[in-house]
């Protein structure tokens, strides 16, 4: 087959299909559940999915336990990316704190209208329980005029 730079080079569509196929194969092997048929026949039973023909009965005392699955990666964060993540985390915490403070402020703040309403309702409640408030005058009695 001719190289990419040759005169009779293959179509880009064929190259793209081949590339996509190999990437798909890698992706499928990475994300798929490991079955007995896709692994070695000596693989531990705890690490692979059962065959469709295997018994579905619960075996309590087989003694086999699944090994812990660890996902190791060779990808590392660059310094620039790490700083960006830290900065964004700081901004996020600041925003959350501001939101909490705004909620508290909104709950604490009362408009003048709310204060007047509260005062009037308190007066109404007090009149219901104690009756009308009568203030004595400086002279005389509450029942009539001053008498000597």
């Amino acid at each position: 087959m001719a190289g990419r730079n040759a005169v009779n080079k293959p179509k880009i569509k064929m190259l793209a299909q081949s590339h996509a196929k190999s990437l798909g194969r890698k992706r499928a092997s990475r994300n798929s559940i490991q079955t007995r048929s896709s692994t070695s026949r000596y693989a531990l039973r705890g690490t692979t999915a059962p065959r469709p023909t295997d018994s579905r009965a619960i075996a309590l005392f087989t003694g086999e336990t699944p090994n812990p699955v660890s996902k190791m990666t060779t990808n590392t964060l660059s310094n620039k990316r790490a700083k960006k993540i830290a900065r964004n985390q700081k901004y996020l915490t600041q925003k959350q704190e501001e939101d909490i403070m705004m909620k508290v402020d909104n709950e604490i703040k009362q408009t003048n209208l709310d204060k007047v309403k509260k005062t009037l309702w308190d007066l109404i409640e007090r009149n219901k329980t104690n009756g009308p408030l009568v203030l004595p005058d400086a002279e005389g009695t509450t029942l009539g005029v001053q008498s000597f």
Side-chain angles (χ1 to χ4, degrees), residues 1-146:
M1 189 166 161
R4 288 189 189 187
N5 294 327
V7 175
N8 55 349
K9 62 185 171 196
K11 299 288 185 200
I12 188 70
K13 188 173 184 181
M14 288 172 51
L15 288 173
Q17 284 176 344
S18 161
H19 184 67
K21 186 177 176 184
S22 66
L23 287 179
R25 225 181 291 125
K26 285 181 184 177
R27 191 179 309 115
S29 69
R30 186 172 57 236
N31 293 335
S32 66
I33 298 171
Q34 299 228 336
T35 59
R36 301 262 172 78
S37 59
S38 67
T39 58
S40 163
R41 67 176 167 167
Y42 300 111
L44 295 175
R45 286 178 183 245
T47 60
T48 57
R51 294 185 202 110
T53 56
D54 285 348
S55 171
R56 297 197 190 284
I58 298 175
L60 295 178
F61 301 108
T62 59
E64 292 184 23
T65 57
N67 292 337
V69 178
S70 68
K71 298 249 180 174
M72 270 188 75
T73 180
T74 58
N75 297 338
T76 58
L77 280 178
S78 65
N79 287 337
K80 186 176 181 180
R81 182 74 179 146
K83 286 178 184 176
K84 182 178 181 181
I85 290 172
R87 184 176 63 244
N88 287 341
Q89 186 66 33
K90 182 178 74 170
Y91 291 146
L92 182 66
T93 54
Q94 278 181 350
K95 186 171 178 6
Q96 288 173 344
E97 289 172 359
E98 287 173 3
D99 289 345
I100 291 170
M101 292 305 293
M102 287 182 75
K103 285 181 185 175
V104 169
D105 288 345
N106 287 342
E107 291 173 1
I108 292 174
K109 272 188 190 172
Q110 288 183 341
T111 61
N112 288 337
L113 180 64
D114 291 335
K115 289 178 184 175
V116 170
K117 282 182 185 178
K118 186 176 184 305
T119 306
L120 287 175
W121 280 111
D122 287 343
L123 181 66
I124 291 170
E125 289 297 322
R126 202 173 19 195
N127 283 346
K128 269 188 192 175
T129 56
N130 300 335
L133 181 65
V134 179
L135 296 174
D137 289 337
E139 304 171 355
T141 65
T142 57
L143 298 176
V145 293
Q146 180 178 9

